[in-house]
Amino acid sequence: TSGTLTELAKQLNPLLRGWIAYYGRFSRSALSTLVDYVNQKLRAWIMRKFKRFQSHKTRANLFLRKLARENPRLFVHWQVFGTNTFT
């Protein structure tokens, strides 16, 4: 958790781009589970990174949703699937 969200995005985006390009050709609906998984991991990262979200999944989720709406180009899957894909 020592890095920033931007650094995390720089690491994940090439991987996500590849998965979306490959699986998007064959089964775009299968990517929804991938998007959900990545968003869950981002929420868990936020909960570890910021003390105010440590035991508040809903608050962390709302923070992530707000962040996605303000910076939709931060992660590739937010650009492709939109920012309404949070569970």
Side-chain angles (χ1 to χ4, degrees):
T1 60
S2 62
T4 64
L5 195 60
T6 308
E7 292 171 356
L8 189 63
K10 284 181 183 178
Q11 290 177 353
L12 284 179
N13 277 341
L15 186 63
L16 289 172
R17 238 182 248 113
W19 286 344
I20 290 170
Y22 180 76
Y23 289 108
R25 289 183 185 198
F26 304 110
S27 177
R28 189 166 168 89
S29 62
L31 287 173
S32 64
T33 55
L34 170 72
V35 170
D36 290 341
Y37 178 77
V38 172
N39 286 334
Q40 286 175 1
K41 292 300 177 180
L42 286 172
R43 181 184 65 204
W45 182 85
I46 287 171
M47 290 174 69
R48 285 190 309 272
K49 177 81 173 173
F50 302 107
K51 282 187 177 181
R52 66 181 184 260
F53 299 124
Q54 230 166 19
S55 60
H56 301 282
K57 280 185 183 179
T58 305
R59 282 191 209 164
N61 219 15
L62 291 174
F63 176 77
L64 187 62
R65 182 179 293 166
K66 181 181 174 188
L67 183 71
R69 287 191 179 140
E70 290 174 358
N71 304 311
R73 296 188 171 270
L74 187 61
F75 286 96
V76 174
H77 69 287
W78 291 348
Q79 294 172 21
V80 175
F81 292 95
T83 57
N84 295 327
T85 58
F86 298 97
T87 56

